[in-house]
Amino acid sequence: ESVKTVLTSPENRTLIKRMLIKCADVSNPCRPIEQCIEWAGRISEEYFAQTDEEKRQGLPVVMPVFDRNTCSIPKSQISFIDYFITDMFDAWDAFADLPKLMQHLDNNFKYWKGLDEKKLRSLRPPPE
């Protein structure tokens, strides 16, 4: 009933649509683990390439954490989840009840934490 009340206002509907677009844009940590790992790798590579190019051209490095020689992908994912994703998706879960999405978020956070605790900087643990 409260959702219906929120959706009756055109301003609220516009705000919700904008919020959904933002959530969709940053939703990688809420995907199933294999998709999350794949896209974390793709995004990291894009940022590594940007940092490489900035260095090559002698420009200021916008994201120094994404130096491919020193970056910890697990740490970058943990920070992203902690600072941007958790509160945003907790709010959506309270509004729309998204247990599967929230389970993926929890699983992915634990995955990245596990790699970080092992002092690994890569997308996956080494083969055993």
Side-chain angles (χ1 to χ4, degrees):
E1 190 60 37
S2 64
V3 171
K4 287 181 184 176
T5 303
V6 170
L7 294 175
T8 58
S9 159
E11 294 84 16
N12 286 351
R13 284 196 306 275
T14 298
L15 177 62
I16 288 170
K17 289 174 187 176
R18 287 181 178 165
M19 292 168 66
L20 281 170
I21 290 168
K22 183 60 178 173
C23 285
D25 183 42
V26 297
S27 67
N28 188 54
C30 298
R31 293 179 176 170
I33 188 69
E34 286 304 315
Q35 290 175 328
C36 178
I37 294 167
E38 174 68 24
W39 281 97
R42 291 178 185 208
I43 291 165
S44 296
E45 185 53 42
E46 179 182 329
Y47 292 163
F48 292 154
Q50 177 181 329
T51 299
D52 293 345
E53 185 64 15
E54 288 166 347
K55 287 179 176 183
R56 190 184 70 71
Q57 291 188 26
L59 298 170
V61 174
V62 175
M63 295 183 294
V65 71
F66 280 98
D67 180 319
R68 71 175 69 248
N69 299 312
T70 59
C71 181
S72 166
I73 294 174
K75 281 188 188 309
S76 72
Q77 292 300 300
I78 291 165
S79 296
F80 182 64
I81 291 168
D82 276 343
Y83 293 110
F84 297 105
I85 302 304
T86 300
D87 290 343
M88 183 186 306
F89 282 92
D90 279 345
W92 274 113
D93 184 44
F95 181 73
D97 190 27
L98 306 165
K100 192 170 185 176
L101 189 140
M102 298 307 290
Q103 187 60 58
H104 290 315
L105 177 57
D106 185 56
N107 293 345
N108 293 332
F109 185 79
K110 288 175 180 172
Y111 174 80
W112 297 119
K113 273 297 234 194
L115 291 180
D116 186 51
E117 288 167 0
K118 294 175 184 171
K119 307 290 187 223
L120 298 172
R121 297 182 345 183
S122 59
L123 291 167
R124 298 182 187 275
E128 292 185 19

